Amino acid sequence: MTIATFIPVTSKLDPKDAVYDHMILAGEGWLHDLLPGQVLRIVDMEGNQAVDTLFYSTEDPSDHYSAIRTITGQENLYLTAGSVLLAESGRGLLQITADTCGRHDTIGGACSAQSNTVRYSHDTLPMHNCRDTFMLMLSGRSEFTKRDLAPNVNFFMNVPVTPEGKLAFADGISGPGRYVELTSLASVTVLISNCPQLNNPCNAYNPTPARVLIWNKEGGDSHV
Ligand SMILES: [Zn+2]
């Protein structure tokens, strides 16, 4: 897949009509439930940010997003408009219905204290990382434990697979204001860590805010 030929898929939804609008600062987490048919937009406010995200069936939180099922289901390593994000059970959780970035990673995983020490240096061990944020957010809900952490989506992050089959953490391809929009196909719990990483070019060594907006299903009720 070459992203040079990418044609943005834009959304007609107006932020003025959103029922929810929140800024996730760099390094912060976000946990929120979506109703079937609601639309979630994630905006890369300053560009080249990595928004580490996991999805769960709200009705059965043990049924989480599956990177492997999603990749094999669409026969593509990268996520973009049209991708259906599948759970371990095979059920569709959400579909990407707009994308002005062009490529999102679901192979690289979330940064952790352990991966930081392997990738960078041992003195990065105490640095804030996405796994810590995920755990902090999940600890607020009794239905979740650390068993529920799974391979995630890194929205706006560029992790190309080389011809040798290796992963490269490359400069970001996103820019200020680019967004991805997902339509919920079920009741879905969304977990985000807006990556605090300071050692990786994926976010230009500069973590920045991400904005999340939600619209109700057209003709749906006003419940958020
Ligand atoms: Zn991270």
Side-chain angles (χ1 to χ4, degrees):
M1 174 182 169
T2 160
I3 50 176
T5 56
F6 170 68
I7 299 167
V9 178
T10 57
S11 168
K12 292 187 172 65
L13 293 172
D14 187 334
K16 288 201 298 288
D17 300 326
V19 294
Y20 182 92
D21 187 350
H22 175 71
M23 197 70 76
I24 310 172
L25 298 178
E28 291 197 344
W30 186 73
L31 184 65
H32 198 93
D33 295 331
L34 293 178
L35 293 171
Q38 284 191 318
V39 177
L40 169 68
R41 181 186 297 179
I42 307 171
V43 187
D44 185 359
M45 295 303 291
E46 298 184 31
N48 289 341
Q49 178 59 2
V51 180
D52 292 42
T53 307
L54 269 170
F55 302 100
Y56 302 85
S57 162
T58 307
E59 288 156 11
D60 177 10
S62 69
D63 195 20
H64 56 68
Y65 168 74
S66 169
I68 297 300
R69 275 198 177 272
T70 299
I71 289 168
T72 54
Q74 67 172 8
E75 299 182 345
N76 191 326
L77 287 171
Y78 310 112
L79 305 180
T80 188
S83 294
V84 176
L85 309 189
L86 301 178
E88 285 290 340
S89 66
R91 83 172 92 183
L93 294 175
L94 309 100
Q95 182 166 26
I96 299 180
T97 43
D99 181 16
T100 65
C101 176
R103 177 189 280 183
H104 308 273
D105 164 70
T106 190
I107 299 174
C111 65
S112 66
Q114 291 78 10
S115 69
N116 280 345
T117 61
V118 170
R119 284 182 189 146
Y120 313 115
S121 63
H122 189 72
D123 59 8
T124 63
L125 184 70
M127 291 179 78
H128 186 181
N129 60 74
C130 285
R131 187 179 168 86
D132 286 351
T133 301
F134 280 159
M135 285 305 304
L136 184 65
M137 300 308 296
L138 290 184
S139 67
R141 292 212 193 171
S142 60
E143 67 268 37
F144 289 110
T145 72
K146 68 179 176 183
R147 286 177 64 94
D148 297 307
L149 290 183
N152 59 291
V153 180
N154 294 306
F155 287 113
F156 311 112
M157 188 167 161
N158 186 23
V159 185
V161 177
T162 68
E164 297 77 35
K166 296 184 174 172
L167 295 181
F169 287 82
D171 286 346
I173 55 169
S174 187
R178 298 212 186 181
Y179 62 83
V180 61
E181 213 164 84
L182 304 107
T183 300
S184 186
L185 305 174
S187 295
V188 173
T189 300
V190 185
L191 172 63
I192 286 178
S193 165
N194 193 20
C195 186
Q197 184 59 258
L198 293 170
N199 303 285
N200 189 319
C202 69
N203 60 6
Y205 307 98
N206 178 33
T208 48
R211 182 183 179 191
V212 281
L213 302 105
I214 296 171
W215 288 264
N216 277 334
K217 181 181 181 178
E218 212 158 282
D221 62 33
S222 59
H223 187 84
V224 180

